[in-house]
């Protein structure tokens, strides 16, 4: 099953594509390249990409495939990609989502739906702190709140530290890199950078556990770093 | 669980940057040594997605 949504307003354009096929047997790079064929050299771009391995017992369907999307009460679009897991039923209970309804979706879908009900015209530190209360294992996140001519982008990493025999492997797995490129940034999971990084990607640093960054991306293409947040 | 990438900016070579990052994500999902060691999860096979926006 594939879900595709695209739109173009003025100079801006967007593509939202999801598939329940494995990314390595699908045509992911072609999808990305197809969109970029219409992007000019001086255009600003945002890309949120995700490959899923569903946790045991969680649904595999198009709704639970990331990026998940929800609409805020003010009509803005909220997209989320996630590595880790939340306590889905606790979130649903907190915001009054029916448990049977929530059971049709994975934790990230419900988390994004709940966040969309909470945020108004921006995502602030309290919103993320609220969401992180429900972390089961980890919350490496990319979140984009899309308004007309303005995007708030949140990217960062948090995972629960457990002092067990898997501690070192857990850190390696949840490690999130921030890499600076000419003209922009890449944030990526550890495997992407440590094993398969493109040659031109360098100048990377590992985010601290609990470190999140907030950016504004404006309709004229200007990108502004706003804040860095630290959570325990 | 999952592997992810977020890229943004005003790149002179956006096509090369984003397709290369996408290709790296594909390879990470097809063989993930960290996932294997931590969760016995060598592949991320349960779907994928992308949100792309340009101005």
């Amino acid at each position: 099953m594939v879900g595709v949504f695209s739109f173009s307003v003025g100079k801006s354009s967007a593509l939202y594509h999801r598939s329940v096929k494995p990314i390595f047997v699908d045509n992911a790079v072609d999808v990305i390249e197809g969109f970029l064929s219409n992007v000019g050299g001086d255009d600003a771009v945002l890309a949120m990409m995700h490959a899923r391995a569903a946790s045991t017992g969680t649904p595999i369907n198009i709704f639970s495939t990331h990026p998940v999307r929800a609409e805020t009460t003010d009509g803005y679009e909220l997209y989320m990609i996630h590595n880790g897991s939340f306590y889905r039923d606790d979130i649903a209970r907190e915001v009054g989502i029916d448990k049977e309804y929530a059971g049709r979706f994975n934790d990230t879908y419900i988390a994004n739906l709940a966040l969309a009900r909470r945020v108004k015209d921006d995502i602030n530190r309290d919103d993320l702190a609220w969401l992180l209360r429900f972390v089961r294992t980890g919350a490496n996140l990319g979140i984009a709140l899309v308004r007309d001519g303005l995007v708030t982008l949140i990217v960062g990493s948090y995972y629960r530290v457990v002092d067990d025999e898997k501690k070192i492997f857990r850190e390696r797995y949840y490690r999130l890199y921030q890499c600076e490129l000419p003209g922009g940034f890449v944030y990526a999971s550890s495997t992407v950078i440590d094993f398969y990084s493109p040659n031109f990607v360098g100048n990377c640093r590992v985010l601290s556990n609990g470190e999140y960054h907030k950016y504004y991306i404006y309709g004229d293409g200007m990108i502004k770093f706003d804040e860095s947040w630290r959570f325990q | 669980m999952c592997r992810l990438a977020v890229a943004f900016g005003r790149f002179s070579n956006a096509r090369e940057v984003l397709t290369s990052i996408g290709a790296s994500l594909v390879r990470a999902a097809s063989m993930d040594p960290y996932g294997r060691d931590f969760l016995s999860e060598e592949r991320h096979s349960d779907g994928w997605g992308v949100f792309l926006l340009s101005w």
Side-chain angles (χ1 to χ4, degrees):
Chain A
M1 187 175 183
V2 175
V4 180
F5 174 67
S6 64
F7 60 90
S8 179
V9 179
K11 194 187 170 195
S12 68
S13 59
L15 176 72
Y16 179 43
H17 180 106
R18 295 182 293 176
S19 167
V20 295
K21 292 179 185 174
I23 190 172
F24 45 84
V25 301
D26 214 344
N27 56 348
V29 174
D30 291 343
V31 169
I32 295 166
E33 193 161 30
F35 173 81
L36 293 170
S37 63
N38 294 317
V39 173
D42 62 340
D43 292 346
V45 292
L46 164 66
M48 297 170 65
M49 313 177 202
H50 187 273
R52 184 178 181 223
S55 300
T56 304
T58 60
I60 298 172
N61 53 40
I62 201 73
F63 306 105
S64 301
T65 305
H66 311 208
V68 295
R69 184 178 67 162
E71 193 171 304
T72 71
T73 51
D74 289 332
Y76 305 130
E77 292 182 348
L78 188 66
Y79 296 85
M80 179 185 289
I81 54 177
H82 175 208
N83 171 38
S85 59
F86 293 111
Y87 288 109
R88 180 193 64 190
D89 294 346
D90 289 354
I91 297 174
R93 191 180 309 113
E94 175 103 354
V95 300
I97 297 172
D98 178 72
K99 187 177 180 181
E100 192 173 329
Y101 175 83
R104 293 160 50 192
F105 307 98
N106 68 342
D107 58 306
T108 307
Y109 182 92
I110 295 299
N112 196 51
L113 186 62
L115 187 63
R117 291 184 179 187
R118 179 184 169 89
V119 301
K120 297 300 178 189
D121 57 346
D122 201 0
I123 304 171
N124 58 43
R125 192 183 195 284
D126 288 345
D127 295 321
L128 190 57
W130 175 83
L131 185 61
L132 295 180
R133 285 172 43 206
F134 301 100
V135 169
R136 188 170 75 89
T137 58
N140 284 6
L141 293 170
I143 304 171
L145 176 66
V146 180
R147 288 149 285 177
D148 187 20
L150 178 63
V151 174
T152 296
L153 177 67
I154 310 287
V155 194
S157 171
Y158 172 74
Y159 63 94
R160 292 200 180 279
V161 175
V162 181
D163 196 13
D164 61 8
E165 73 281 0
K166 292 274 189 180
K167 185 174 183 178
I168 293 172
F169 301 127
R170 184 177 294 105
E171 187 282 327
R172 288 175 185 159
Y173 186 75
Y174 279 111
R175 189 185 298 158
L176 187 72
Y177 284 97
Q178 178 201 37
C179 306
E180 200 167 337
L181 304 180
F185 292 94
V186 173
Y187 291 73
S189 298
S190 53
T191 316
V192 176
I193 300 302
D194 287 343
F195 294 97
Y196 305 111
S197 179
N199 292 334
F200 59 81
V201 175
N203 197 16
C204 297
R205 62 173 282 264
V206 178
L207 268 64
S208 301
N209 190 3
E211 180 178 356
Y212 291 82
H213 297 167
K214 178 179 179 181
Y215 295 86
Y216 289 117
I217 307 174
Y218 295 90
D220 62 1
M222 188 179 81
I223 295 168
K224 178 191 166 198
F225 172 75
D226 185 56
E227 286 185 280
S228 179
W229 298 330
R230 297 292 180 104
F231 298 92
Q232 297 294 323
Chain B
M1 278 176 267
C2 310
R3 301 287 78 182
L4 61 82
V6 176
F8 58 97
R10 198 190 291 270
F11 305 110
S12 60
N13 52 347
R15 193 169 180 165
E16 180 189 352
V17 169
L18 298 186
T19 56
S20 297
I21 296 294
S24 295
L25 180 64
V26 171
R27 296 176 69 196
S30 67
M31 171 55 199
D32 181 359
Y34 290 151
R36 179 194 60 208
D37 293 344
F38 178 44
L39 298 166
S40 302
E41 194 175 80
E42 199 166 79
R43 305 187 111 189
H44 302 262
S45 309
D46 299 319
W48 70 279
V50 63
F51 175 60
L52 293 160
L53 187 61
S54 76
W55 297 265

